[in-house]
Amino acid sequence: MNNNNTKAELVGITLGDGNIGRYKRCQYLRIYCNPKHIQYIKEVEKILTNFFKKKPYIYFRKDAGVTYLEISKKNIDSILQIPVGDKIKNKVSVPKWIWKKNSHIKSCIRGLFDTDGCLYITGGKYKIVNFCSHNPLLLRDFKRGLERLGYNPFIRRSNVELGRMAEVEQFFKEIKPRNLQHYRFNKPR
């Protein structure tokens, strides 16, 4: 994976379950994970290490029941093109450069889906790819990205979903989620 695809995936992860904040002399990027998802925490650690060329700190907050990975560096907001602070108040959406290449779109969708997506079964046998967000701009961008890749998603409340069986299978082949929790009903890649 080239560095721009890694960056696009990291943008997706950050837009999903991350946040950028400030220390006195630098900024920090925190990615929050379910502490039970050890495999995915290791994947995020690899992505952060490869992209920033340093290992993140990994913290477990027992009071919040969350594990987060943190990188400190100057200008993280400029590097990822995501502003410091609240993503909804700042009306954050997918950065423009990601829309220029399908490989960037796929990588960003992977990051968003791995953090805020799931696969569920309805009617006892129908698989549904689901992305949930309370940020209307991210819902719009996730749907737009899937459409650009040839899928037929629909928005339902604060969810973007794929329900066509062939598209669900294609999504897993093409996007290749890293969070193995998403393969509960599918065979791993």
Side-chain angles (χ1 to χ4, degrees):
M1 184 182 292
N2 75 32
N3 205 33
N4 282 332
N5 286 340
T6 302
K7 180 179 176 180
E9 184 171 359
L10 184 55
V11 164
I13 292 168
T14 304
L15 291 173
D17 279 347
N19 103 302
I20 299 172
R22 282 193 176 89
Y23 287 131
K24 284 185 179 182
R25 295 186 179 153
C26 64
Q27 295 175 344
Y28 62 82
L29 168 63
R30 287 185 184 156
I31 308 296
Y32 297 87
C33 300
N34 183 328
K36 294 178 184 174
H37 298 176
I38 294 166
Q39 171 271 332
Y40 187 61
I41 291 168
K42 290 178 182 176
E43 291 288 338
V44 173
E45 180 183 21
K46 278 189 244 175
I47 291 166
L48 289 169
T49 300
N50 290 338
F51 186 75
F52 287 108
K53 306 297 183 222
K54 67 185 209 177
K55 284 184 79 88
Y57 293 102
I58 301 176
Y59 300 96
F60 173 66
R61 283 193 49 200
K62 192 173 184 177
D63 62 319
V66 70
T67 295
Y68 66 90
L69 298 89
E70 181 178 301
I71 289 280
S72 301
K73 185 175 177 61
K74 291 184 178 186
N75 304 318
I76 292 174
D77 60 342
S78 298
I79 294 166
L80 296 180
Q81 296 178 14
I82 298 172
V84 171
D86 187 290
K87 295 176 287 194
I88 294 175
K89 285 181 185 172
N90 287 329
K91 297 184 177 166
V92 175
S93 61
V94 171
K96 290 179 183 160
W97 66 269
I98 288 176
W99 300 108
K100 293 180 182 174
K101 289 182 81 176
N102 281 354
S103 64
H104 299 340
I105 295 170
K106 288 177 193 176
S107 297
C108 186
I109 285 176
R110 180 185 312 115
L112 285 165
F113 181 73
D114 276 339
T115 56
D116 286 341
C118 71
L119 177 72
Y120 71 88
I121 302 248
T122 186
K125 63 181 178 179
Y126 301 106
K127 296 175 186 172
I128 306 290
V129 167
N130 176 279
F131 170 75
C132 180
S133 177
H134 295 290
N135 180 340
L137 296 176
L138 281 185
L139 286 173
R140 178 205 65 196
D141 286 349
F142 193 86
K143 182 178 185 280
R144 176 182 169 203
L146 289 175
E147 288 170 341
R148 286 273 304 273
L149 297 173
Y151 295 93
N152 295 285
F154 56 94
I155 292 184
R156 195 166 49 104
R157 292 185 283 282
S158 31
N159 300 280
V160 175
E161 296 185 341
L162 284 179
R164 296 179 180 180
M165 288 171 42
E167 288 187 349
V168 170
E169 295 302 320
Q170 183 61 31
F171 178 88
F172 278 85
K173 287 178 187 165
E174 186 174 22
I175 303 302
K176 299 179 177 114
R178 292 180 192 271
N179 189 338
L180 295 183
Q181 288 295 119
H182 298 311
Y183 291 92
R184 295 183 292 222
F185 308 116
N186 271 13
K187 294 175 185 157
R189 21 183 180 140

